Amino acid sequence: MSNELNYIVKRAAKGLMSRREFMGRASALGVSAMMANALLASAVRAEEPKKGGLLRAGMAGGESTNTLDPALAASEVPFLVNMTWGEMLVDVTPAGEIDYRLAEEVSSNSDATEWKFKIRQGVEYHNGKTVTAEDVIATLKRHTDEKAQSGALGIVQGISEMSASGDMVTLKLASGNADLPFLMGDYHLIIQPDGGVANPAEGIGAGPYKIVENEPGVRHAFERHANYWDQSIAHADQVEVLVINDNTARTAALQAGQVHMINRVDPKIVELLKGVPGVSVEAVAGRGHYVFIMHCDKAPFDNNDLRMALKLSINRQEMVDKILGGLGSVGNDFPINAAYPLFDSSIPQREYDPAKAAEHYKASGHDGSPIVLRTAPGAFPGAVEAAQLFQQSAAAAGIPLEVKVEPDDGYWSDVWNVQPFCASYWGGRPVQDQMYSTAYLSTADWNDTKFKNAEFDELLLKARAELDATKRKEEYSKMANILRDEGGLICPMFNDFVEAKREEVGGWAQDPNGELMNGRALVKCWLNA
Amino acid sequence: MHPILKLVVQRIALGLLLLLAVSVLIYAGTEALPGDVAQAILGQSATPEALANLRESLGLNQPGYIRYFHWLGGVLTGDFGKALTNGQDIGQAIAQRLGNTLFLAGCAAAISVPLAIGLGLVAARYNGRWPDKVISGITLSTISLPEFVAAYFVIYLLTQVFPIFQPVAMVFPGMSFWAKLNAVALPVIVLVLVVLAHMMRMTRAAILNVMQSAYIETAELKGLSPMRVIWKHALPNAVAPIISVVVLNLAYLVVGVVVVEVVFSYNALGQYLVDHVAKRDLPVVQAVGLIFAAVYIGLNILADVLAIVANPRLRHPK
């Protein structure tokens, strides 16, 4: 079937094209009406979920050091694995809305300081126990404990009081937070029986699949949880995650049909892979971004003219084209893009302007000695090349950059958050508030640009408790502008998740929240035999 | 005591002493690495409090020599401790991985050793003629190819062009023996290509060396066929150097194939070691390092002993 015919059949089957338009375009491609009807009928059938089978993902980002403890999940494989056996109170949909999972209903008081979550009744864990409000409290409490080393500590710290009565969980916050339901969709906050206190890495949850084999860094095998509450997902009988860290082997496994989907397709081979029959490449715009960060409190970066000069002397489009192979979008020196709810798209895009950069550089009074930019191959994929491109575009503005390549070993302990100017990356967060609170609030642990701005902090706290979306959007827009014009963040690009799947996989959807449909690809997709 | 037995006991004692020295080296070496395990685990998300908490809970605040003796005591009683990163029992994890390593090495050896010796004999028989040149040419070119290039080449050829095998070679409990063989087919092919030349060349050289002797001439003058001369008269006298090369290659198949494991996602010891090195999981690195050292030393002792046993003059001392 020609590519174009294939494309219109798919669009028509998804209801994105009317039947009349489809028939017209199909006949323009020389397809008879009978043939076109048959094609459409089979395509529509393919869009209906099919039950059964063994669905397999081949994943990079797993090591034999991984654990099933949701608090410690950080890399790609534990994320996908946990999202396959675990269930949180809520999920965030691709459109940025709340998808109610273990919580059936959420409500708050007027200043967003007290939240009530109604827990879905009769939901069963893999071990036969029932999900209760007490389990939810125990889970959240465990993540508050410093010893749990939870990645969600920053989220649960803001909860000052939690209580359960009947099927209702009440959370009181120290200060209002309108985003709390979104934060409860954080992938660390999987609800475990008794909070998983006794054995957090047991892998018992209320998710659609239960773990039958767990060999970290090699393979995680699941079978469907027979009593799963939501009949509309979990189509395959069994699902499996194979850890294949080598790029070539992962791609070969997909081509050979040994796995049905893979993550992290190397941008260099995307064009080649597109030509392979039976395989499609999916680039999903997400919230992750690659950055260069300056410490606003250390010379010479304590001078806003110098910071502005550097921001103006980076060629963003060139970075997207050469570093991301076109699979991404340009950044605008604040960590938010259109993938976030309440994003203000009217903020003007900063462009490469060597003349203006030179002006700011002159105004900064910098002595002309080379400015050291530290980078490492592991800072982000292509970080060394990106630093070199930056060096050249800055040289055109008369700004001397010296690229210093550091070893990957110890980069996150000895360079990042220590040296005043270096390359780094951020994975993005479900909502703006969380991103800003994690890294741009004056008092944040990970304030890696040492950005301290009272007005910004005040706006952040105000927006957090604001339930009126219009006002909130305005406040976020102001914050974005402050950060863009005064912050220490140079954000040249947002990277897409680049993934690939086989054509027999049905139910695939783009999800900006996270890799592989926010970790639910194995749960929501099915196999068209 | 029989002199050979005495020799074996001596060698084993020396080997154990060597292993002890190696254990000190491994421990000191891993301690000297920059950064510590707490930092490696937390990575970008390390806050000072989290670091202090984790160091405390991992017992990193005690002096190094005390931890060494604790560790050595554990190892001697068969307890390698738990992995710092995910709390898994190291002994169990290693046992399974070691099984996979030995399975792969065993399959590769079962094919490559007879093949190499056979080819070596043929090459020696037709020394300087075309079969010799073809065999030498092919095996030398396969050994010159880096392992990962050979691996990608067989992946391309045998999974894409001719889809016979599968590129990912994971094995797990519950697979049938045949399924396992099918899974490891590609890595085995690569390893055979890599180790073949070394053993083949040594066999050929050792045989040719012996072929100059007077008793070979006698055998030829008796009218024996060339292959029979090689098999019956040359090989038994050339076997000592062949054994040592074969055993060296076996050691390589056990401890040196991490690149092949990674390319084929084969879940054996090498990959396990590399993962834990990256995360500074020292107990695992030390345990695997020690096991690799033990395998190496053990196989070398075996080579020595076999070479002596194969030598009649040493077997029957006057």
Side-chain angles (χ1 to χ4, degrees), chain B residues 119-185:
Chain B
L119 288 176
L121 295 182
V122 172
R125 159 73 179 80
Y126 296 101
N127 178 25
R129 307 202 347 234
W130 69 265
D132 179 28
K133 287 183 178 150
V134 169
I135 291 171
S136 295
I138 292 178
T139 52
L140 284 178
S141 41
T142 60
I143 202 179
S144 314
L145 213 57
E147 293 155 320
F148 64 92
V149 176
Y152 290 147
F153 180 71
V154 300
I155 287 181
Y156 176 69
L157 195 71
L158 295 179
T159 74
Q160 310 294 327
V161 182
F162 305 106
I164 307 169
F165 295 114
Q166 304 217 302
V168 174
M170 275 169 208
V171 295
F172 29 85
M175 272 172 106
S176 71
F177 183 70
W178 285 113
K180 277 189 180 175
L181 279 186
N182 189 44
V184 299

Side-chain angles (χ1 to χ4, degrees), chain B residues 186-209:
Chain B
L186 292 187
V188 165
I189 290 173
V190 171
L191 291 178
V192 167
L193 291 179
V194 170
V195 297
L196 199 56
H198 197 190
M199 293 189 284
M200 189 290 280
R201 299 288 297 175
M202 187 46 92
T203 309
R204 178 180 172 277
I207 300 271
L208 286 181
N209 204 15

Side-chain angles (χ1 to χ4, degrees), chain A residues 306-467:
Chain A
L306 185 89
R307 296 205 293 269
M308 190 54 92
L310 288 170
K311 288 177 188 171
L312 286 165
S313 63
I314 194 165
N315 190 338
R316 290 148 212 273
Q317 193 56 51
E318 185 186 31
M319 294 246 177
V320 171
D321 293 342
K322 294 187 178 160
I323 303 298
L324 301 178
L327 300 165
S329 54
V330 293
N332 201 9
D333 297 338
F334 60 99
I336 305 301
N337 65 353
Y340 282 90
L342 305 177
F343 170 73
D344 180 5
S345 56
S346 69
I347 299 174
Q349 173 62 46
R350 178 160 287 141
E351 303 286 349
Y352 175 48
D353 189 341
K356 236 165 116 189
E359 269 172 44
H360 279 284
Y361 183 63
K362 219 169 157 195
S364 76
H366 187 254
D367 59 8
S369 58
I371 299 170
V372 179
L373 169 58
R374 285 163 213 267
T375 182
F380 56 80
V384 174
E385 294 82 355
Q388 285 159 348
L389 287 176
F390 190 8
Q391 185 186 31
Q392 293 190 0
S393 62
I399 303 173
L401 282 189
E402 182 189 325
V403 174
K404 192 156 181 227
V405 181
E406 303 272 356
D408 277 346
D409 241 17
Y411 188 78
W412 301 114
S413 51
D414 304 334
V415 179
W416 177 77
N417 222 353
V418 177
Q419 295 294 343
F421 191 25
C422 72
S424 176
Y425 74 95
W426 278 100
R429 294 292 185 273
V431 288
Q432 297 199 27
D433 176 73
Q434 204 189 348
M435 187 69 238
Y436 284 135
S437 314
T438 309
Y440 301 93
L441 189 68
S442 300
T443 52
D445 275 332
W446 298 347
N447 184 349
D448 58 4
T449 54
K450 316 291 172 208
F451 176 65
K452 296 191 170 87
N453 183 308
E455 190 193 352
F456 181 91
D457 290 358
E458 204 175 293
L459 278 167
L460 181 58
L461 296 181
K462 207 169 136 203
R464 190 182 286 171
E466 180 63 68
L467 287 167

Side-chain angles (χ1 to χ4, degrees), chain B:
Chain B
M1 193 192 260
H2 194 280
I4 289 189
L5 198 64
K6 191 174 160 202
L7 194 114
V8 170
V9 171
Q10 242 174 18
R11 287 293 158 113
I12 290 177
L14 270 175
L16 288 177
L17 207 62
L18 191 60
L19 204 55
L20 192 69
V22 168
S23 80
V24 174
L25 269 183
I26 291 175
Y27 204 87
T30 47
E31 288 292 311
L33 289 172
D36 74 355
V37 64
Q39 241 156 6
I41 292 175
L42 293 175
Q44 195 202 21
S45 61
T47 61
E49 302 96 83
L51 274 177
N53 276 335
L54 195 56
R55 282 202 186 111
E56 180 68 43
S57 65
L58 297 178
L60 295 177
N61 296 331
Q62 284 177 336
Y65 65 92
I66 292 187
R67 280 182 284 140
Y68 171 74
F69 285 111
H70 270 298
W71 172 70
L72 194 66
V75 169
L76 291 179
T77 55
D79 173 20
F80 287 98
K82 286 194 175 1
L84 295 180
T85 41
N86 61 0
Q88 278 199 333
D89 185 76
I90 297 175
Q92 269 176 16
I94 286 184
Q96 200 195 355
R97 296 275 183 148
L98 186 63
N100 291 348
T101 290
L102 294 179
F103 180 67
L104 180 63
C107 290
I111 296 176
S112 61
V113 173
L115 190 62
I117 293 177
L119 288 176
L121 295 182
V122 172
R125 159 73 179 80
Y126 296 101
N127 178 25
R129 307 202 347 234
W130 69 265
D132 179 28
K133 287 183 178 150
V134 169
I135 291 171
S136 295
I138 292 178
T139 52
L140 284 178
S141 41
T142 60
I143 202 179
S144 314
L145 213 57
E147 293 155 320
F148 64 92
V149 176
Y152 290 147
F153 180 71
V154 300
I155 287 181
Y156 176 69
L157 195 71
L158 295 179
T159 74
Q160 310 294 327
V161 182
F162 305 106
I164 307 169
F165 295 114
Q166 304 217 302
V168 174
M170 275 169 208
V171 295
F172 29 85
M175 272 172 106
S176 71
F177 183 70
W178 285 113
K180 277 189 180 175
L181 279 186
N182 189 44
V184 299
L186 292 187
V188 165
I189 290 173
V190 171
L191 291 178
V192 167
L193 291 179
V194 170
V195 297
L196 199 56
H198 197 190
M199 293 189 284
M200 189 290 280
R201 299 288 297 175
M202 187 46 92
T203 309
R204 178 180 172 277
I207 300 271
L208 286 181
N209 204 15
V210 176
M211 294 297 271
Q212 314 297 330
S213 318
Y215 62 86
I216 297 291
E217 213 170 329
T218 313
E220 277 167 358
L221 291 173
K222 272 200 302 194
L224 293 179
S225 74
M227 224 45 219
R228 200 172 158 77
V229 172
I230 291 177
W231 186 248
K232 277 273 185 194
H233 298 273
L235 185 60
N237 289 297
V239 83
I242 298 177
I243 286 177
S244 64
V245 166
V246 166
V247 172
L248 263 182
N249 276 288
L250 290 185
Y252 163 80
L253 286 175
V254 174
V255 307
V257 297
V258 62
V259 175
V260 175
E261 287 177 21
V262 169
V263 170
F264 291 102
S265 303
Y266 186 70
N267 44 323
L269 266 187
Q271 209 177 6
Y272 183 69
L273 174 65
V274 169
D275 279 354
H276 288 263
V277 168
K279 287 277 189 245
R280 292 276 184 285
D281 197 334
L282 300 188
V284 177
V285 176
Q286 288 151 355
V288 178
L290 201 61
I291 285 178
F292 279 173
V295 167
Y296 214 86
I297 292 172
L299 283 173
N300 271 298
I301 294 175
L302 184 72
D304 281 0
V305 172
L306 284 180
I308 292 164
V309 171
N311 187 333
R313 263 171 303 191
L314 290 173
R315 209 164 45 208
H316 307 290
K318 287 194 185 120

